[in-house]
Amino acid sequence: MAASVALLTAFAVPAASASAGAGAGAPTVNLVTNPGFELPSPNLADWGSIPGWNCTGGPAEAAVTTTAHSGTSALTVTPANADSTGECAQTVAVQPDTTYTASAWVRGNFVYLGATGTGRDVSPAWTETTSGGWQQLTTRFTTGPNAHSIRLYVHGWYEQGPFSVDDVRVDGPAPAPATAAGSIPTTDKVVFFTVDDGWTRTPEAERFIADHHLPITAFPLPMPAGTDPDFFRRVTSVPGSSIQDHSVSHSDLSKLPLEQQQVEICDARDAMTRLFGTAPAVFRPPYFAWNADTLQAAANCGIRTVLTADADFSWGASNIWHPGPLQPGDVILMHWTDTLATDLPRALAAADAAGLKPAGLIDYLH
């Protein structure tokens, strides 16, 4: 294990500038998550969710159907009432000052495709009717100087009946892969406490965090986070704390293709953003299992760092995966378990013995 973690710590892909110049040399790809509505929903995902997409009416309105423009599936939305347009949307990572082309094949009456958050006004593409067949909608936009993500949407219109969407695209330069790291380069005498999963939440651990004013970086899964969001708000209330991305289903992502990895990371990002109001910038791969596709999928979800760790104090352990005691910049792994209330003081004692103090991870990364 120590050797593999050393490799994880040593390997890093530097992030490129997101300028128009950087984008000009990058290959043009489709940045949409689950563009053809073909991908299965991950385990532990919300019932009725459509991977990669957030639909305002939920499963009461939006469903994957087999009448497709291509492949085997398409999105069909039936607005539930006269006040609904049946909107479905997703966040797409982009580069500033860069031109993108958005397109989708649609069927129905008064169907719209557009983007917001570009930094500039974008007129949606729309059709009054596709006369029962499929029609491609296309719109083109250039992002503003501060745009790093846009909200891509499709919707129908009031009382115009169901519509279908397939083969959605946002074509443009691929983001530079995320950076992989197992520790944080710093000469400050600090370490970083990270806590994963979230299935077991104890008042004892919560009390220790509060009493010792510990900055914690939490990596909960969406399901336990959604079950008890107030707990995670409380345990990350110390300045420097944050809530980050740990995938939807805690699967070994290295065994999944890029497209499915992107669903795991983007959907967890959306869940954390919806619950806690801030989009994650860090991804913790389950089992520390990742590959080059993970770094690209994370970048496609707007994630800048794929973080493992170089010490483990979970379940009574005191493992440091490098020679000697804890060092400045070490990332310590723990889990939300029934042992966390005793794991935390043991990790804190190890940090104290090395002359180090816990610090806010996000303050040092971004």
Side-chain angles (χ1 to χ4, degrees), residues 15-356:
S17 167
S19 67
T28 297
V29 298
N30 183 11
L31 300 173
V32 173
T33 303
N34 194 18
F37 307 95
E38 308 280 344
L39 297 178
S41 186
N43 293 332
L44 306 182
D46 293 338
W47 179 84
S49 65
I50 296 173
W53 295 86
N54 297 294
C55 297
T56 55
E61 291 191 348
V64 173
T65 61
T66 56
T67 304
H69 170 258
S70 70
T72 59
S73 300
L75 171 70
T76 296
V77 181
T78 304
N81 55 59
D83 296 323
S84 174
T85 62
E87 183 180 82
C88 291
Q90 67 172 258
T91 299
V92 179
V94 294
Q95 299 185 36
D97 295 318
T98 304
T99 299
Y100 295 87
T101 300
S103 64
W105 286 87
V106 302
R107 188 174 63 178
N109 298 328
F110 291 95
V111 188
Y112 292 74
L113 167 74
T116 60
T118 64
R120 297 185 170 96
D121 291 337
V122 179
S123 298
W126 66 284
T127 181
E128 182 175 350
T129 181
T130 66
S131 302
W134 288 94
Q135 177 181 332
Q136 189 177 40
L137 301 179
T138 302
T139 186
R140 190 173 174 86
F141 60 90
T142 300
T143 54
N146 299 311
H148 294 278
S149 67
I150 59 99
R151 182 175 179 272
L152 177 75
Y153 66 84
V154 293
H155 64 71
W157 201 244
Y158 304 102
E159 299 184 306
Q160 295 300 313
F163 65 92
S164 297
V165 184
D166 201 2
D167 299 329
V168 187
R169 304 187 65 88
V170 171
D171 289 311
T179 297
S183 62
I184 307 304
T186 181
T187 57
D188 292 354
K189 293 185 178 299
V190 296
V191 292
F192 306 99
F193 284 14
T194 65
V195 191
D196 287 10
D197 297 350
W199 295 111
T200 303
R201 304 171 294 277
T202 68
E204 295 81 9
E206 180 182 344
R207 187 160 50 248
F208 187 90
I209 292 168
D211 289 348
H212 291 80
H213 206 61
L214 289 178
I216 296 292
T217 303
F219 291 92
L221 299 172
M223 189 169 285
T227 299
D228 195 358
D230 286 343
F231 173 86
F232 291 100
R233 293 188 186 101
R234 294 193 301 269
V235 296
T236 57
S237 61
V238 174
S241 298
S242 66
I243 298 174
Q244 302 295 331
D245 191 323
H246 194 35
S247 81
V248 173
S249 67
H250 207 279
S251 297
D252 180 344
L253 298 195
S254 67
K255 297 180 179 178
L256 300 178
L258 188 151
E259 293 80 6
Q260 285 183 251
Q261 293 196 43
Q262 190 165 321
V263 165
E264 288 274 357
I265 299 170
C266 285
D267 278 7
R269 171 206 62 193
D270 291 345
M272 297 303 104
T273 305
R274 185 168 59 251
L275 287 168
F276 305 111
T278 302
V282 184
F283 174 64
R284 165 67 55 77
Y287 314 109
F288 290 1
W290 58 271
N291 54 24
D293 282 348
T294 312
L295 301 183
Q296 189 60 61
N300 292 352
C301 297
I303 299 290
R304 298 168 60 181
T305 303
V306 173
L307 184 71
T308 55
D310 46 17
D312 181 11
F313 280 71
S314 304
W315 292 291
S318 298
N319 299 320
I320 300 172
W321 295 318
H322 58 65
L326 291 172
Q327 298 174 0
D330 277 353
V331 175
I332 298 173
L333 170 69
M334 287 174 278
H335 290 79
W336 300 105
T337 65
D338 56 5
T339 68
L340 182 58
T342 56
D343 296 336
L344 284 163
R346 192 172 61 260
L348 187 58
D352 287 342
L356 306 170

